[in-house]
Amino acid sequence: MVEKVDIDIKMKFLHGFSNKTRIQILESIKTEEKTVTQIVDDLNGNQSNISQHLACLKGCRLIVGRQDGKYVYYRVRNQLVRDLLTNFDVVLEDIQNDIACCNSHIYQ
Amino acid sequence: MVEKVDIDIKMKFLHGFSNKTRIQILESIKTEEKTVTQIVDDLNGNQSNISQHLACLKGCRLIVGRQDGKYVYYRVRNQLVRDLLTNFDVVLEDIQNDIACCNSHIYQ
DNA sequence: ACAATATATTAGCAATCACTAATATGTGTG
DNA sequence: CACACATATTAGTGATTGCTAATATATTGT
């Protein structure tokens, strides 16, 4: 049974998924925690930019960080969030199949 | 098994969830199809605005519309998308519980 | 064909967002 | 303490987004 959720908290949460860099970060740390530098290298990104998106994802409660010496390791919050990320791909695969079979659809 | 999905198509898809009005539309038609006017009334929204978001959601492949006379009925694409919407609430409930128990967390 | 209703589209503007560069903070090491 | 490295923060700017109002298109009934 799913309880009522506040729409504004929900939007803050969903905001986490609305940017390509953030999605790439989530995918990068979906199965293993990584330091900021590792993520920056992974995405071939800008350190400042990645740090900002990490702060955003942390604010959205999608990831958690732990400090270890001079490194900060980030990981996806928990299995529920990982499942949600997988669920995106499941739905997307379904959509892509549909687009593939029915070329009468105009993909805007 | 989940296949590779194109990141840009994925972002287009996820864009559908990044706006409060669009989420409200999705929730409004999650279990039953509705006309544009019904949705406008439901959300107490602006007709032009809602139409634009409906076009966006259709482009994201999250909803489908069918014309019946002078009405257009919109509904959530399929069960997979409905499940995804439910999944949002499941994860969110978990996050809210966590915020509720651990007030040492600063919710920015 | 005309009026009424339903929906879509367009244009313009204000608000939000994402990026870069520069700088600040924090942590370990010689 | 000074230096190197890791990460965070800030400010500024260009791009994207979402809203409203106005208008266009489509469908039905008379």
Side-chain angles (χ1 to χ4, degrees):
Chain A
M1 200 71 279
V2 179
E3 316 242 333
K4 260 279 173 49
V5 292
D6 179 81
I7 181 74
D8 289 310
I9 295 183
K10 185 170 188 171
M11 288 323 301
K12 181 172 175 47
F13 162 73
L14 290 174
H15 178 70
F17 302 112
S18 70
N19 173 273
K20 187 169 172 172
T21 302
R22 286 195 294 272
I23 290 293
Q24 289 177 141
I25 289 173
L26 289 169
E27 284 172 353
S28 169
I29 61 177
K30 189 181 173 188
T31 56
E32 47 172 346
E33 67 176 10
K34 288 183 184 166
T35 68
V36 178
T37 303
Q38 282 179 301
I39 297 167
V40 169
D41 290 349
D42 250 39
L43 308 200
N44 236 295
N46 170 298
Q47 182 268 320
S48 164
N49 189 23
I50 300 289
S51 259
Q52 288 174 68
H53 283 301
L54 287 167
C56 173
L57 288 167
K58 200 163 63 172
C60 297
R61 306 284 146 166
L62 291 172
I63 65 174
V64 292
R66 77 176 172 89
Q67 181 125 22
D68 182 9
K70 63 178 175 174
Y71 299 99
V72 179
Y73 288 87
Y74 284 100
R75 64 176 185 278
V76 168
R77 178 190 169 82
N78 62 18
Q79 191 57 38
L80 284 178
V81 176
R82 274 188 288 274
D83 290 346
L84 185 54
L85 291 171
T86 302
N87 206 346
F88 287 151
D89 292 337
V90 170
V91 180
L92 209 52
E93 196 191 332
D94 168 68
I95 288 173
Q96 282 183 327
N97 283 342
D98 178 66
I99 292 168
C101 348
C102 312
N103 24 14
S104 66
H105 284 176
I106 294 146
Y107 192 63
Q108 51 172 137
Chain B
M1 199 73 280
V2 179
E3 315 241 332
K4 261 280 174 47
V5 292
D6 180 82
I7 181 74
D8 290 309
I9 294 183
K10 186 170 186 169
M11 288 323 299
K12 182 173 174 46
F13 162 73
L14 290 174
H15 178 71
F17 303 112
S18 69
N19 173 273
K20 187 169 173 174
T21 302
R22 285 195 293 273
I23 290 294
Q24 289 178 140
I25 290 173
L26 288 168
E27 284 172 353
S28 169
I29 61 177
K30 189 180 173 190
T31 56
E32 47 172 347
E33 66 176 10
K34 287 183 184 165
T35 68
V36 177
T37 303
Q38 281 180 301
I39 298 167
V40 169
D41 290 349
D42 250 38
L43 307 200
N44 236 295
N46 170 299
Q47 182 267 320
S48 162
N49 190 22
I50 300 290
S51 260
Q52 287 174 69
H53 283 301
L54 287 168
C56 174
L57 288 167
K58 201 164 59 169
C60 299
R61 307 282 146 166
L62 290 171
I63 65 174
V64 292
R66 77 175 171 90
Q67 181 125 22
D68 181 10
K70 62 178 176 175
Y71 300 99
V72 178
Y73 288 87
Y74 284 100
R75 65 177 185 277
V76 168
R77 177 191 170 81
N78 62 19
Q79 191 57 38
L80 284 178
V81 175
R82 275 188 289 273
D83 290 346
L84 185 53
L85 291 170
T86 301
N87 206 347
F88 287 151
D89 291 337
V90 170
V91 179
L92 211 53
E93 196 191 333
D94 167 69
I95 288 174
Q96 282 182 328
N97 283 342
D98 178 67
I99 292 169
C101 346
C102 312
N103 23 13
S104 65
H105 284 177
I106 294 144
Y107 191 65
Q108 48 173 134

